[in-house]
Amino acid sequence: NLIPEIPIGDYLRDLLRKSLLNQRGLGINSGIHHSTIARLLSGRTDTRLKTVAALLEKPLPLDKAEIYQVVIDSVPAEIKNNSPRLVYREEAPVITGTFNEQFKGYRIARHMCVRALGKKIGLDHSVLYRIESGDILPTFRNFASYSYVLGLNTKQVETLLYTVLTT
């Protein structure tokens, strides 16, 4: 089943061209199997957050603004159309700690309960509780929606993504 809202495949195609890598080379550099990269390029899968974080961390020549743009562009249209967005200033502090501590901290900082956030991003509140407790990681689509609805800035998104790699 194709997931058209996630443009990660488009970004990967462009970046593969710019970096002169092929799918296998990207897989070797990122530690991600080339068949997973092929699925991402074709849009046949909702990407695991850890997979995207690994791709953005090492082998692809992306700066912070480009990483942020990949995340924001991956937010489904229905969420963008239904959620007014207040973005933290770039000088706003970054919450530290584990991924789940940061995830929960940004929700609390916006004074939003789990049920309200779940409703805004189209995710059952029980899944959000599991993410906040550290039981699971969100998919990339859910992470993008969460970041968009809570108005996370470039530094905050980058910190969360790279914390995933150490979780």
Side-chain angles (χ1 to χ4, degrees):
N1 60 18
L2 294 178
I3 303 174
E5 300 96 351
I6 305 295
I8 193 74
D10 296 336
Y11 284 103
L12 283 177
R13 254 185 300 288
D14 289 344
L15 291 168
L16 283 171
R17 266 182 261 166
K18 289 178 190 174
S19 67
L20 303 176
L21 287 172
N22 60 19
Q23 290 177 27
R24 194 171 295 275
L26 179 59
I28 290 168
N29 287 348
S30 64
I32 296 168
H33 197 273
H34 65 90
S35 65
T36 300
I37 293 169
R39 283 193 303 278
L40 295 176
L41 287 167
S42 70
R44 290 185 309 226
T45 184
D46 188 3
T47 316
R48 290 181 48 219
L49 183 58
K50 205 164 197 163
T51 301
V52 174
L55 285 169
L56 297 177
E57 189 223 7
K58 296 188 227 180
L60 299 176
L62 289 176
D63 64 24
K64 293 174 186 180
E66 289 172 315
I67 290 171
Y68 185 73
Q69 199 58 53
V70 169
V71 171
I72 298 308
D73 286 350
S74 298
V75 177
E78 66 269 9
I79 292 174
K80 285 182 179 177
N81 295 337
N82 296 327
S83 296
R85 186 157 190 256
L86 297 172
V87 181
Y88 282 103
R89 292 186 326 268
E90 285 303 317
E91 308 82 46
V94 172
I95 294 175
T96 58
T98 63
F99 178 83
N100 55 306
E101 290 167 345
Q102 291 177 53
F103 194 88
K104 183 176 183 177
Y106 289 122
R107 177 186 58 78
I108 291 170
R110 284 289 191 197
H111 305 287
M112 192 175 289
C113 71
V114 172
R115 287 184 187 269
L117 178 59
K119 187 174 181 178
K120 284 184 178 257
I121 66 174
L123 195 61
D124 188 74
H125 68 279
S126 64
V127 175
L128 285 173
Y129 279 122
R130 291 187 63 208
I131 293 168
E132 288 185 357
S133 69
D135 292 342
I136 61 172
L137 287 172
T139 63
F140 181 63
R141 178 198 316 226
N142 291 337
F143 173 78
S145 299
Y146 167 90
S147 299
Y148 181 86
V149 167
L150 292 181
L152 301 186
N153 67 30
T154 305
K155 282 192 309 189
Q156 293 165 335
V157 167
E158 179 190 29
T159 301
L160 271 168
L161 277 173
Y162 292 129
T163 302
V164 166
L165 296 172
T166 61
T167 304

